[in-house]
């Protein structure tokens, strides 16, 4: 007798364990299969088989039977079950939730079906075709069908196409099928995204010395199926080419590869490059696919029809077999961290998957995350470097423009004289320009336009945030409030105000100054439609537009050879956000944006406008000096006990009234204190434990309180995180509570 352990697809902690079922005689069940099972009083629930067992200690009569498998293959590769278990253990989600990441959500409850098309195939031997057709002359439709099929390639055609060509011919087709002259077949159709995308030139460039060097270290690891690497290569150093060669090397060994990108819509070029080199062997997975397309791409992968999968973070779960290489491009991007349950970090999962399946991990960036670079410093990742641009192209020359000086000289427009001159020259030379506007941080902090002074909390090293309701400044970390000053506390100027310049305003200004130059704008407002991103980028690439004004969206991985100038309209907008990562994010963004300039033969020029020209993030970004930034930032993080030195765990309590949240947060704090008191081996890693009003105290009509804990980042601290997650799940008293670990936003 055979038994199996099943996780039922119900995400509730009370059923978050395996249940044993009997496998009926003759039913072929393997681990990873989706099955229907009876569960409690429910007649039929979906579940996933985790393990098979010969025996079982549950009394016979209590065991129920599997009803049927949902597919005749395991939807989840058995080797991926470990990844789900790992996720379940480390992010404290129900096993059912972890498993759901491993197959398209549309497959649950059968919400997606396979698409079929009907094809008519001519079965008459060539020698007697003429004869047969003549015999059908009294039935002109049939004769026409036969003739069409004779002409068609492979002597077959979709019946839908025949109907389009010949008018309604269903009856004729059926008659011909009955007579044995035609065979009607149902064929599966795979819906393909990017079907019409044109391929770029697919010739292989000669590798640069640096690319060769990197590959010499990388490829032997791919061969043995081991190794975790961090490729730090400046913008324009040709990282993509390294990826392509490495993927190809894996393919030559009969292995497959996954390439993760921050967001597919923003990196159409990566897809293009891979499709032009790998054609049908490349699959694309991303959130903008229709459910049908996603399901079909997934099946193509699952069946082993592709060699390389390109996708956003969830592509780390792609059901590829024989994975030899996982690449994470722009590894510093926050999009690799999933914020909703299950919270996961695609970089961590990629690493785990590589270890499980004997594959090589390659993280890559021009501005590595502090965490990854610190790991490389410790030898936990092997550092590979490409310090120069392809074919000796110089990095762009960056001019830091002090906007305080502009103001002193009476210039109150969003553009400095230098930036305008640069733009004018660039247009005269027939080149293209990108103007970058940091929209995040719009009107949130208050700064003096004369001296650059930004109002900061006296208790924290963080800018105060302007709150229109109440017209006050608030510190998002300690809760301190202050009125908005009328004059600058530093220099007495009246030009102190909330900061921020929107894309729209910049676009208008450009049009006013350059009435004859076609301008494009790319931001959340102009990219709502499904293909809006691609359309704008294509217009810019074609040269139909000369200036592109955009937000963060234009910072990533774009390669436009004709762009020689980049203007960064307000470099400090993000720097002053009340977040300990604001310097890191600013550095990354500024470096990446500046890196868009001068990627072909004409050298690039960047104008970086700022009210804080001496800030280390701005200074180091202007020189593309990652190491200098890294050293400086790590000192700050160590002192202030921020990641990567610590892990921040946060419980956020929300309730209709203020009091319950505060009470629950304090109760949780007491719990956690007691928890640490009982565990000296853990307590030594605890740095802070605090209850605070959340920075955004009232959100969507809920009052919010938080318990924030900082611990030295050690594996053993998982235990405390697990306890916090339990507390979150067990919160009552009219409160809702979520547990966040190193959340992206602390608001
Ligand atoms: P990165 O991702 O490191 O910023 P890319 O991969 O976008 O850089 O490469 C920058 C440009 O250099 C691209 O236009 C690419 O086609 C080109 N390139 C890459 N490698 C080579 C090479 N070996 N020879 C010539 N051009 C190359
Ligand atoms: Zn001032
Ligand atoms: Zn403060």
């Amino acid at each position: 007798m055979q038994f199996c352990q099943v996780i039922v697809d119900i995400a509730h902690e009370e059923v978050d364990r395996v249940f044993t079922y009997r496998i009926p005689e003759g039913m072929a069940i393997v681990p990873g299969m989706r099955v229907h099972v009876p569960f409690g009083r429910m007649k039929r629930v979906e579940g996933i088989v985790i393990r098979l067992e010969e025996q079982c200690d549950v009394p016979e009569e209590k065991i129920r039977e599997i009803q049927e498998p949902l597919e005749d293959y395991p939807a989840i590769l058995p080797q991926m079950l470990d990844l789900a278990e790992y996720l379940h253990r480390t992010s404290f989600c129900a096993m059912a939730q972890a498993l759901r990441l491993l197959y398209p959500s549309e497959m649950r409850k059968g919400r997606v079906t396979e698409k079929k098309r009907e094809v008519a195939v001519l079965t008459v031997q060539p020698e007697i075709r003429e004869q047969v057709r003549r015999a059908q002359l009294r039935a002109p439709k049939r004769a026409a069908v036969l003739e069409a099929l004779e002409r068609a390639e492979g002597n077959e055609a979709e019946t839908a196409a025949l109907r389009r060509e010949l008018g309604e011919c269903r009856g004729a087709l059926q008659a011909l099928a009955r007579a044995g002259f035609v065979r009607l077949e149902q064929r599966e159709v795979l819906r393909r995204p990017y079907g019409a995308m044109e391929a770029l030139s697919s010739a292989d460039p000669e590798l640069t010395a640096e690319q060769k060097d990197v590959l010499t270290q990388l490829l032997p690891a791919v061969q043995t199926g081991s190794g975790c690497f961090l490729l730090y290569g400046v913008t324009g150093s040709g990282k993509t080419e390294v990826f392509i060669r490495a993927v190809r090397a894996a393919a030559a060994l009969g292995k497959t590869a996954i390439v993760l990108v921050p967001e597919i819509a923003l990196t159409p070029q990566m897809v293009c490059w891979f499709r032009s080199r790998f054609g049908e062997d490349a699959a694309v997975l991303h959130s903008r696919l229709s459910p049908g397309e996603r399901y079909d791409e997934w099946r193509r992968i699952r069946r082993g029809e592709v060699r390389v999968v390109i996708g956003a973070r969830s592509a780390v779960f792609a059901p590829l077999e024989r994975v030899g290489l996982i690449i994470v491009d722009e590894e510093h991007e926050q999009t690799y961290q999933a914020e909703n349950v299950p919270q996961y970090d695609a970089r961590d999962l990629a690493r785990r998957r590589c270890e499980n399946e004997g594959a090589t991990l390659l993280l890559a960036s021009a501005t590595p995350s502090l965490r990854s670079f610190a790991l490389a410093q410790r030898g936990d990742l092997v550092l590979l470097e490409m310090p120069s641009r392809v074919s000796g192209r110089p990095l762009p020359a960056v001019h830091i423009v002090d906007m305080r000086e502009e103001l002193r000289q009476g210039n109150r427009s969003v553009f400095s004289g230098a930036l305008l001159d640069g733009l004018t020259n660039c247009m005269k030379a027939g080149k293209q320009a990108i103007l970058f506007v940091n929209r995040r941080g719009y009107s949130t902090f208050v700064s003096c336009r004369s001296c650059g002074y930004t109002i900061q909390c006296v208790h924290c090293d963080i800018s105060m945030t302007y709150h229109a309701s109440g017209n006050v400044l608030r510190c998002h970390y300690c809760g301190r409030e202050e009125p908005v000053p009328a004059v600058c506390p530093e220099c007495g100027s009246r030009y102190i105000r909330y900061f921020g310049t929107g894309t729209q305003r910049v676009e208008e200004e450009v049009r006013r100054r350059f009435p004859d130059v076609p301008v494009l704008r790319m931001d959340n407002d102009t990219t709502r439609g499904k293909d809006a991103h691609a359309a704008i980028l294509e217009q810019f690439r074609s040269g139909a537009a000369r200036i592109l004004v955009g937000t963060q969206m234009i910072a990533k991985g774009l390669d436009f050879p004709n762009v020689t100038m980049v203007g960064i309209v307000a470099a400090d907008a993000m720097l002053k956000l009340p977040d300990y990562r604001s310097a890191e994010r600013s550095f990354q963004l500024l470096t990446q944006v500046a890196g868009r300039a001068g990627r072909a033969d004409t050298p690039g020029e960047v104008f970086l406008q700022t009210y804080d020209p001496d800030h280390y993030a701005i200074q180091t970004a202007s020189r593309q000096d990652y190491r200098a930034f890294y050293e400086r930032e790590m000192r700050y993080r160590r002192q202030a006990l921020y990641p990567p030195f610590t892990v921040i765990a946060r419980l956020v309590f929300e309730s209709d009234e203020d009091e319950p949240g505060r009470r629950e947060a304090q109760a949780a704090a007491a719990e956690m204190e007691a928890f640490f008191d009982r565990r000296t081996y853990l307590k030594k890693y605890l740095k802070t434990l605090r209850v605070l009003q959340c920075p955004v105290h009232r959100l969507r009509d809920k009052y919010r309180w938080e318990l924030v804990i900082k611990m030295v980042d050690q594996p053993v601290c998982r235990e405390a995180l697990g306890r916090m997650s339990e507390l979150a799940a067990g919160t009552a008293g009219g409160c809702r509570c979520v547990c966040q670990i190193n959340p992206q936003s602390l608001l």
Side-chain angles (χ1 to χ4, degrees):
M1 192 137 340
Q2 273 262 325
F3 302 93
C4 62
Q5 297 192 329
V6 171
I7 297 280
V8 290
D9 188 25
I10 300 172
H12 196 282
E13 70 210 85
E14 273 170 36
V15 296
D16 188 18
R17 59 189 174 85
V18 292
F19 293 91
T20 301
Y21 286 87
R22 185 172 30 244
I23 303 175
E25 205 63 44
M27 189 184 281
I29 294 289
V30 294
M33 262 189 181
R34 302 194 317 131
V35 291
H36 270 144
V37 292
F39 186 73
R41 260 168 296 161
M42 286 176 280
K43 283 215 185 73
R44 174 190 278 266
V45 177
E46 288 182 10
I48 284 162
V49 176
I50 298 294
R51 262 177 296 274
L52 300 186
E53 294 194 318
E54 295 296 328
Q55 289 160 357
C56 133
D57 21 348
V58 186
E60 268 298 312
E61 64 281 5
K62 286 204 170 166
I63 297 191
R64 299 161 85 176
E65 277 193 346
I66 300 269
Q67 286 162 337
E68 77 235 323
L70 293 176
E71 286 91 15
D72 54 9
Y73 60 92
I76 296 175
L77 291 172
Q79 60 266 40
M80 296 284 285
L81 289 169
D82 169 85
L83 205 62
E85 261 163 30
Y86 174 78
L87 190 59
H88 161 66
R89 269 201 320 280
T90 54
S91 82
F92 315 108
C93 63
M95 190 63 186
Q97 287 172 308
L99 287 167
R100 282 177 197 170
L101 294 171
L102 302 184
Y103 57 96
S105 59
E106 295 80 18
M107 281 169 78
R108 296 174 56 216
K109 311 217 170 89
R111 274 169 303 182
V112 69
T113 47
E114 291 165 19
K115 192 169 150 189
K116 295 267 162 77
R117 62 186 178 130
E118 192 182 52
V119 177
V121 185
L122 188 63
T123 51
V124 186
Q125 295 302 315
E127 310 82 75
I128 55 167
R129 275 183 196 163
E130 185 54 28
Q131 201 184 330
V132 168
R133 192 158 56 84
R134 231 177 286 135
Q136 299 286 344
L137 275 183
R138 268 185 302 128
K141 263 282 150 63
R142 289 184 220 169
V145 167
L146 286 171
E147 199 177 358
L149 288 176
E150 238 175 284
R151 270 187 283 114
E153 203 183 318
N155 293 131
E156 59 175 57
E158 267 184 59
T159 54
L162 288 174
R163 289 226 280 283
R164 272 196 304 277
E165 191 186 328
L166 309 171
E168 186 46 56
C169 54
R170 182 90 259 174
L173 278 166
Q174 274 162 353
L176 288 168
R178 273 196 305 274
F181 297 145
V182 161
R183 190 172 66 240
L184 294 176
E185 287 178 8
Q186 298 295 320
R187 288 201 198 147
E188 189 182 25
V189 188
L190 293 179
R191 289 150 282 206
R192 295 301 314 280
Y194 291 106
M197 184 183 263
E198 82 177 285
L200 298 173
S201 131
S202 55
D204 281 357
E206 178 82 18
L207 292 177
T208 65
E210 287 177 3
Q211 286 170 331
K212 273 189 201 145
D213 238 32
V214 162
L215 286 165
T216 315
Q217 295 181 69
L218 196 57
L219 297 189
V222 173
Q223 178 127 35
T224 56
S226 62
C228 296
F229 296 88
L230 173 63
L231 171 58
Y232 159 46
V234 297
T235 57
S237 57
K239 295 185 284 296
T240 314
E241 193 60 37
V242 170
F243 303 161
I244 289 172
R245 301 296 173 104
V247 169
R248 203 185 280 155
L253 293 162
K255 302 185 185 188
T256 59
I258 299 174
V259 181
L260 300 184
V261 293
E263 201 182 320
I264 285 274
L266 302 186
T267 43
Q269 289 181 322
M270 179 72 83
V271 176
C272 243
W273 273 316
F274 271 89
R275 293 212 7 118
S276 67
R277 305 288 186 86
F278 293 93
E280 292 292 300
D281 284 348
V284 180
L285 284 179
H286 68 94
S287 57
R288 289 195 186 204
L289 297 181
S290 71
E293 284 172 340
R294 191 167 27 240
Y295 177 52
D296 288 355
E297 267 315 67
W298 183 88
R299 275 187 306 149
R300 238 162 50 83
I301 300 166
R302 178 64 190 82
R303 293 188 197 156
E305 291 171 14
V306 307
R307 295 230 178 239
V308 52
V309 174
I310 302 165
R313 65 171 179 241
S314 60
V316 74
F317 301 113
L320 267 183
E321 294 188 82
R322 299 185 313 283
V323 175
L325 177 65
I326 302 184
I327 295 172
V328 185
D329 189 25
E330 314 278 7
E331 68 85 25
H332 62 277
E333 286 288 341
Q334 294 169 59
T335 47
Y336 288 120
Q337 229 179 317
E339 291 272 79
N340 297 330
V341 175
Q343 297 175 18
Y344 68 88
D345 186 319
R347 292 161 295 195
D348 287 346
L349 290 181
R351 184 163 191 167
R352 176 82 183 188
R353 189 165 178 190
C354 283
E355 282 161 6
N356 283 349
E357 300 181 31
T360 303
L361 177 69
L362 176 62
L363 306 177
S365 174
T367 53
S369 61
L370 289 191
R371 180 156 174 255
S372 296
F373 205 75
L375 286 175
Q377 298 292 72
R378 287 211 318 246
D380 242 5
L381 292 170
V382 178
L383 186 64
L384 304 171
E385 292 188 73
M386 297 205 297
S388 33
R389 283 189 156 183
V390 167
S391 30
R393 286 167 202 153
L395 284 168
V398 179
H399 311 283
I400 298 182
V401 184
D402 185 346
M403 293 303 276
R404 298 170 305 184
E405 193 56 40
E406 292 290 313
L407 191 74
R408 254 170 247 141
Q409 291 172 6
N411 176 8
R412 288 197 209 140
S413 100
V414 293
F415 296 137
S416 62
L419 189 147
L420 274 181
D421 288 348
L423 200 51
T424 309
N425 289 338
C426 173
M427 292 300 110
K428 275 198 196 126
K431 300 293 185 183
Q432 291 179 299
I434 290 178
L435 293 179
F436 171 73
V437 184
N438 202 331
R439 254 252 302 240
R440 264 185 253 164
Y442 184 78
S443 291
T444 54
F445 68 96
V446 175
S447 122
C448 169
R449 295 192 64 177
S450 294
C451 74
Y453 179 78
T454 308
I455 296 177
Q456 296 214 321
C457 173
V458 288
H459 299 301
C460 318
D461 204 8
I462 288 292
S463 330
M464 303 282 279
T465 300
Y466 175 68
H467 289 250
S469 63
N471 197 36
V472 291
L473 295 173
R474 192 173 295 146
C475 169
H476 282 184
Y477 281 74
C478 70
R480 182 186 163 83
E481 277 189 11
E482 279 176 23
V484 181
V487 297
C488 172
E490 195 72 12
C491 75
S493 155
R494 282 179 301 111
Y495 290 113
I496 180 152
R497 37 135 110 194
Y498 356 115
F499 202 90
T501 309
T503 38
Q504 231 164 335
R505 193 165 146 217
V506 171
E507 184 194 6
E508 280 158 22
E509 186 71 14
V510 172
R511 287 190 194 283
R512 201 169 65 74
R513 303 245 183 194
F514 299 90
D516 306 326
V517 174
V519 182
L520 278 173
R521 174 158 62 94
M522 185 154 160
D523 57 23
N524 280 333
D525 297 334
T526 62
T527 52
R528 295 256 166 81
K530 186 177 177 223
D531 298 315
H533 284 102
I536 293 177
L537 294 177
E538 195 37 52
Q539 263 192 72
F540 191 56
R541 169 175 304 286
S542 71
R546 305 269 310 280
I547 299 178
L548 175 63
V549 176
T551 53
Q552 268 68 356
M553 291 176 186
I554 60 174
K556 291 173 198 165
L558 299 178
D559 188 35
F560 296 112
N562 216 24
V563 170
T564 57
M565 191 209 123
V566 166
I568 296 169
V569 177
D572 12 20
M574 181 177 262
L575 205 49
K576 302 295 163 62
L577 282 185
D579 187 313
Y580 70 91
R581 281 153 306 195
S582 58
E584 182 181 10
R585 287 188 189 153
S586 298
F587 175 83
Q588 288 164 347
L589 201 58
L590 297 177
T591 312
Q592 300 280 352
V593 173
R596 300 308 118 216
R599 294 169 70 88
D601 298 328
T602 317
E605 231 181 343
V606 178
F607 296 89
L608 193 159
Q609 303 191 145
T610 171
Y611 288 90
D612 196 355
D614 299 323
H615 194 285
Y616 64 96
I618 292 194
Q619 284 289 332
T620 51
S622 77
R623 302 194 303 269
Q624 302 230 347
D625 187 349
Y626 177 80
R627 273 171 209 275
F629 172 77
Y630 173 80
E631 298 297 336
R632 176 72 193 257
E633 183 69 9
M634 287 294 269
R635 277 208 299 280
Y636 158 63
R637 299 283 180 95
R638 185 182 290 117
Q639 266 163 17
L641 296 172
Y642 282 123
F645 294 99
T646 57
V647 46
I648 299 179
R650 184 181 186 230
L651 293 181
V652 179
F653 297 85
E654 295 188 340
S655 56
D656 291 336
E657 313 280 328
D658 196 25
E659 186 50 27
R662 195 182 59 83
R663 203 175 47 227
E664 286 295 315
Q666 268 159 358
E671 272 291 324
M672 286 313 292
E673 301 223 25
F675 175 87
F676 279 108
D677 282 338
R678 288 193 300 270
R679 294 169 179 76
T680 39
Y681 60 95
L682 267 185
K683 190 162 188 183
K684 66 179 180 212
Y685 296 124
L686 176 65
K687 291 298 179 185
T688 59
L689 190 158
R690 271 200 203 124
V691 172
L692 296 168
Q693 231 176 43
C694 284
V696 179
H697 183 202
R698 211 167 109 109
L699 187 69
R700 290 180 217 102
D701 286 329
K702 299 282 180 204
Y703 288 90
R704 305 165 76 234
W705 283 82
E706 62 183 5
L707 164 64
V708 181
I709 288 181
K710 284 192 206 167
M711 279 172 290
V712 178
D713 197 359
Q714 292 287 330
V716 60
C717 292
R718 284 273 154 216
E719 198 185 333
L721 301 180
R723 180 71 192 122
M724 285 185 72
S725 147
E726 276 169 27
L727 286 176
T731 298
C735 269
R736 212 181 74 90
C737 178
V738 291
C739 175
Q740 306 171 333
I741 293 156
N742 284 344
Q744 280 169 31
S745 163
L746 291 170
L747 298 185

